Amino acid sequence: MTQYDLIVKGGTIITLDNDLSILENGIVAVNGDRIEALLPHPEEGRIQAKEVIDARGGLVLPGLINAHTHAAMSLFRGLADDLPLMDWLNYYIFPAEKNMDSDFVYIGSLLACAEMILSGTTTFCDMYLFENSVAQAAGRAGMRALVGEVLYDFDSPNYGSIENGFSYTEGLILKWADDPLVSVAVMPHSTFTCSPDLLVKANELALKHHVPLVIHLAETQAEVREVVERYGKRPAEHLKDLGILGPHCLAAHCIHLNENEIDLLADKDVKIAHNPESNMKLASGVAPIPEMIDRNLAVGLGTDGCASNNNLDMFGEMDTAAKLHKIVMMDTTAADAITVLKMATINGARALGMEHLIGTLEPGKKADIIVVDTRSPHLTPLYNPYSQLVYAAMGSDVTTSIIDGKVVMKDKKLRTLDPEEIMEKAREKSFQVKKWISMGGKQQD
């Protein structure tokens, strides 16, 4: 009799491995934080486990990976929708961010972690302020996270001057270096908010510590115009000439790229984080994702923050991504279900530099696993599991989330967080936000 710490049985295992293997009525066997074996159902009588998860005929797949978000902005959800971009920023987001502190970010990040776990996301990449608090929230939730403090030319409400920002970032890298779940990246904001010297120094720091560099790139037409006027070249060309583009670089959005820039990113093996719902809501545009995939770029999928998306549901993001590129390309085969599901799993892992750890269900990889309950009218009948996951499933269909071999949610109940307590604290923070905005950003005593 073989003993395991945990098994997930009674479901269809969607491995997302190189062969896109599917194991009907299979078993995922876990020891410690790793997948030990994928077994056929007849093996069940010859194995034992300390904990057994019954998938009840559902779909078992790798945990979803949110390749770009701003977790604490969950506290800005619905704050100022349907406004012109600069009004949204100047009269709502900036006044609120000016007054934030570490506790605000911690509560907002806990709220985001609860939402993500409940909807099947097991890993997220976060760029924001007070990122040590985001790391602490992820650790408490038991989530895998790549975090980084946003760096820009102007003073930050967290660290003040950019010199302190680099010290803060390096401190984060060293502090979380040996953590099993949290890792740190260097995150300059963008080509138009960061000077060339800042960008070069940020890249040197990332290379020094062998960590990713994450940056917003070509998100708006206004950004492209400003960079061209300032430097005489387009954003990706600017980064290339600074020596920043490389396989360690993750570029978020990448909407307004020309063919030459796409070739530059492909040549340098830059990773991409696609955020379709946020880009649509802010009327930023549509990223040329099919063209990037044709050039073998690793494209992950992200939600961006709740201020520009309103939720962190990666199932909804997959559905949007698949349909958006079909209508843009006028091609029903564009962004097919398998391609989009890989964006949310193995290609998201590649984007974060974690493909050796997560993104597929294979022996030796970290046990980041979710179970989707298919016993619902909207998931019946089931002909093609990939299509069902992308076009029909919702975050609320996830019943179990396992991260690093630990069950963090079972039967839709969180084990690591108390959502009622977090939501109550989040509501308290929302009263502060209203005061900050009414005062135009002046601190309320």
Side-chain angles (χ1 to χ4, degrees):
M1 187 73 69
T2 306
Q3 180 73 37
Y4 296 104
D5 292 331
L6 169 70
I7 63 170
V8 182
K9 68 171 189 174
T12 298
I13 301 173
I14 313 298
T15 66
L16 275 300
D17 65 8
N18 287 335
D19 298 322
L20 294 177
S21 306
I22 293 179
L23 186 57
E24 300 277 357
N25 197 19
I27 298 168
V28 184
V30 175
N31 273 330
D33 61 356
R34 304 269 177 173
I35 297 172
E36 185 77 17
L38 301 180
L39 306 168
H41 180 70
E43 292 290 322
E44 183 178 358
R46 295 190 285 271
I47 64 176
Q48 290 182 337
K50 298 174 185 176
E51 183 164 11
V52 176
I53 302 293
D54 188 349
R56 300 185 180 92
L59 301 176
V60 182
L61 62 149
L64 303 184
I65 298 167
N66 190 338
H68 182 72
T69 192
H70 314 288
M73 294 187 89
S74 61
L75 293 177
F76 299 152
R77 188 194 324 265
L79 174 64
D81 290 336
D82 306 322
L83 291 176
L85 178 60
M86 296 315 296
D87 288 350
W88 178 72
L89 288 171
N90 291 325
Y91 301 128
Y92 293 90
I93 301 303
F94 289 161
E97 289 181 338
K98 178 181 177 181
N99 289 277
M100 290 191 318
D101 58 16
S102 59
D103 185 62
F104 184 94
V105 170
Y106 181 66
I107 298 302
S109 299
L110 285 178
L111 184 66
C113 287
E115 181 181 354
M116 286 190 279
I117 291 172
L118 286 164
S119 56
T121 294
T122 55
T123 299
F124 67 103
C125 177
D126 195 75
M127 175 197 282
Y128 206 46
L129 300 158
F130 299 96
E131 281 294 312
N132 188 61
S133 295
V134 180
Q136 290 174 333
R140 177 176 165 185
M143 286 197 75
R144 198 176 304 281
L146 176 65
V147 306
E149 187 77 9
V150 64
L151 304 170
Y152 31 49
D153 289 328
F154 41 91
D155 284 358
S156 159
N158 178 19
Y159 53 75
S161 69
I162 186 58
E163 290 77 14
N164 294 332
F166 282 114
S167 297
Y168 182 88
T169 295
E170 188 160 32
L172 281 179
I173 294 170
L174 297 174
K175 178 177 181 178
W176 296 94
D178 298 322
D179 193 88
L181 290 174
V182 176
S183 52
V184 177
V186 181
M187 298 197 183
H189 180 265
S190 67
T191 54
F192 73 101
T193 54
C194 298
S195 68
D197 286 346
L198 189 160
L199 292 170
V200 169
K201 188 172 181 179
N203 191 51
E204 289 172 348
L205 183 61
L207 294 174
K208 172 185 174 182
H209 290 284
H210 306 287
V211 301
L213 181 137
V214 182
I215 187 169
H216 297 103
L217 182 66
E219 184 176 0
T220 66
Q221 291 176 328
E223 170 192 343
V224 174
R225 285 195 299 269
E226 184 170 341
V227 172
V228 169
E229 290 173 4
R230 194 181 300 175
Y231 304 112
K233 59 195 76 171
R234 296 175 62 86
E237 297 167 341
H238 179 52
L239 291 182
K240 182 254 185 184
D241 288 348
L242 291 174
I244 289 170
L245 298 183
H248 67 299
C249 184
L250 171 59
H253 301 294
C254 296
I255 299 170
H256 301 285
L257 300 176
N258 62 24
E259 291 291 324
N260 179 61
E261 288 179 292
I262 297 174
D263 288 339
L264 281 178
L265 298 182
D267 181 61
K268 296 296 184 179
D269 193 22
V270 173
K271 312 305 188 292
I272 310 298
H274 179 37
N275 304 270
E277 291 190 4
S278 173
N279 298 159
M280 292 166 67
K281 186 165 180 250
L282 294 180
S284 298
V286 181
I289 297 303
E291 293 90 336
M292 294 183 194
I293 292 173
D294 285 345
R295 288 167 172 80
N296 295 317
L297 280 156
V299 180
L301 193 64
T303 60
D304 214 351
C306 283
S308 60
N309 185 321
N310 296 61
N311 68 62
L312 301 172
D313 184 350
M314 286 288 289
F315 283 92
E317 206 73 34
M318 286 193 289
D319 181 57
T320 297
K323 293 172 181 174
L324 173 64
H325 296 291
K326 285 172 171 53
I327 191 62
V328 169
M329 302 291 290
M330 292 301 290
D331 179 359
T332 57
T333 68
D336 62 89
I338 292 176
T339 296
V340 172
L341 184 59
K342 289 174 72 174
M343 288 166 61
T345 52
I346 182 56
N347 285 340
R350 291 189 179 110
L352 272 53
M354 298 182 183
E355 67 271 26
H356 61 296
L357 297 175
I358 59 174
T360 64
L361 299 184
E362 298 181 84
K365 282 203 170 182
K366 294 283 191 175
D368 289 10
I369 307 162
I370 63 172
V371 177
V372 175
D373 187 354
T374 55
R375 299 171 300 165
S376 300
H378 69 279
L379 294 176
T380 304
L382 195 161
Y383 298 111
N384 183 313
Y386 301 111
S387 294
Q388 206 83 327
L389 288 166
V390 171
Y391 297 118
M394 298 179 284
S396 57
D397 296 317
V398 178
T399 58
T400 298
S401 293
I402 300 165
I403 305 174
D404 215 43
K406 298 179 177 62
V407 181
V408 296
M409 178 181 73
K410 184 177 181 181
D411 297 327
K412 298 189 178 184
K413 294 182 180 178
L414 294 176
R415 289 186 171 184
T416 54
L417 299 173
D418 180 348
E420 294 298 328
E421 176 190 359
I422 294 168
M423 288 189 292
E424 179 58 34
K425 291 182 178 179
R427 283 187 281 266
E428 293 173 3
K429 295 298 182 185
S430 73
F431 299 140
Q432 291 182 337
V433 171
K434 291 177 182 177
K435 289 181 180 179
W436 296 338
I437 291 170
S438 68
M439 299 176 68
K442 183 179 178 182
Q443 179 69 53
Q444 175 77 14
D445 292 330

